[in-house]
Amino acid sequence: MSSLSDYDGKFEKNRDTARGFSTAVYIGGVIAASMLFISFILLAFPADAYFTRTVMTVAGVMVGGSMLAFPYALHHWAITKDHRKVTTVLYYVEMAIICVNTVVSFVSMLAKYSNYDAPEWVVLYEPFSVASIIYTIFAWGTVFLLDPDHKLQADERDADARFAKKLASKREAFIDSVEGEDVIAAIATEDVRERYSPERYRKTPKHFGSGQASIPAPAPFVTKEAKVPLGQLDEGES
């Protein structure tokens, strides 16, 4: 039993080591392909176009980051059947695009900085290589739209809208029924009684109170005489 547990412990340790090593290799490959693609893209812009070159560098980093995000999403997010299937397809399509872009980038830079003649298909493909940026936006937009939580919220809102529509339809049908007319007649009668009550049309002014309450007369003011003569007060002060 102990040998089996030791084997399981070694297996888990070796698996974690393999995962870490493969992750480092994968990230290194993505960085290399991204740097090559970014260097290729920047050839299309003048050296003094700082803002454009900065934006395109960030775009190239995001395309490379997408290759890192797909495996993580497949491992932690896209776990339901349909969501995972679509995400996997989008991931492999992007991988193919990155592969072609990497080859085209390398061949184009090789042709620029050496005496190598680029094949015709590379020259024809070069202007369309930046479409990988648009594909990244499309791919991740699709992944988000197919998120099960997003679909669940949409279904709940649709159910609420259908419920409100049917409720309004039932209310309208009730209003046109005999019972509804009776309820409307009762409400209208009560409203007429309150709206056209004779109390609202009285000509005599209303007063506060009945006027019959008796108010006691105020007590007479009594002047107190000083118990100590003024002369004694003066002597005490001196």
Side-chain angles (χ1 to χ4, degrees), residues 125-159:
Y125 178 81
E126 284 180 354
F128 304 98
S129 59
V130 293
S132 58
I133 300 174
I134 306 301
Y135 176 81
T136 301
I137 299 173
F138 160 77
W140 284 106
T142 303
V143 173
F144 273 96
L145 288 176
L146 295 180
D147 184 7
D149 292 338
H150 174 77
K151 294 180 65 177
L152 179 60
Q153 293 179 3
D155 292 341
E156 288 179 351
R157 292 180 180 177
D158 182 66

Side-chain angles (χ1 to χ4, degrees), residues 110-130:
L110 189 65
K112 180 177 178 60
Y113 296 108
S114 65
N115 295 327
Y116 180 79
D117 293 332
E120 184 178 359
W121 71 269
V122 172
V123 178
L124 295 175
Y125 178 81
E126 284 180 354
F128 304 98
S129 59
V130 293

Side-chain angles (χ1 to χ4, degrees), residues 152-172:
L152 179 60
Q153 293 179 3
D155 292 341
E156 288 179 351
R157 292 180 180 177
D158 182 66
D160 291 341
R162 290 174 56 195
F163 175 79
K165 183 177 180 180
K166 289 187 177 182
L167 183 61
S169 177
K170 293 297 182 181
R171 286 176 177 173
E172 185 176 0

Side-chain angles (χ1 to χ4, degrees), residues 22-149:
S22 60
T23 300
V25 172
Y26 184 85
I27 293 175
V30 170
I31 292 175
S34 300
M35 293 301 297
L36 193 61
F37 180 63
I38 292 171
S39 301
F40 164 69
I41 289 180
L42 295 182
L43 295 177
F45 303 97
D48 56 351
Y50 302 110
F51 178 75
T52 304
R53 291 171 68 89
T54 301
V55 172
M56 296 308 296
T57 300
V58 174
V61 172
M62 292 297 101
V63 173
S66 177
M67 293 297 295
L68 299 176
F70 265 115
Y72 189 84
L74 288 170
H75 190 70
H76 297 283
W77 178 21
I79 56 178
T80 58
K81 183 178 179 181
D82 294 336
H83 196 207
R84 185 177 183 82
K85 183 186 298 183
V86 174
T87 305
T88 303
V89 172
L90 294 173
Y91 170 54
Y92 283 117
V93 171
E94 182 171 84
M95 186 179 293
I97 294 174
I98 295 296
C99 177
V100 175
N101 284 350
T102 302
V103 174
V104 171
S105 300
F106 178 75
V107 173
S108 298
M109 297 185 68
L110 189 65
K112 180 177 178 60
Y113 296 108
S114 65
N115 295 327
Y116 180 79
D117 293 332
E120 184 178 359
W121 71 269
V122 172
V123 178
L124 295 175
Y125 178 81
E126 284 180 354
F128 304 98
S129 59
V130 293
S132 58
I133 300 174
I134 306 301
Y135 176 81
T136 301
I137 299 173
F138 160 77
W140 284 106
T142 303
V143 173
F144 273 96
L145 288 176
L146 295 180
D147 184 7
D149 292 338

Side-chain angles (χ1 to χ4, degrees), residues 199 202-212:
E199 293 295 328
R202 289 180 57 182
K203 299 296 183 179
T204 56
K206 295 182 178 180
H207 299 280
F208 179 77
S210 60
Q212 299 178 358

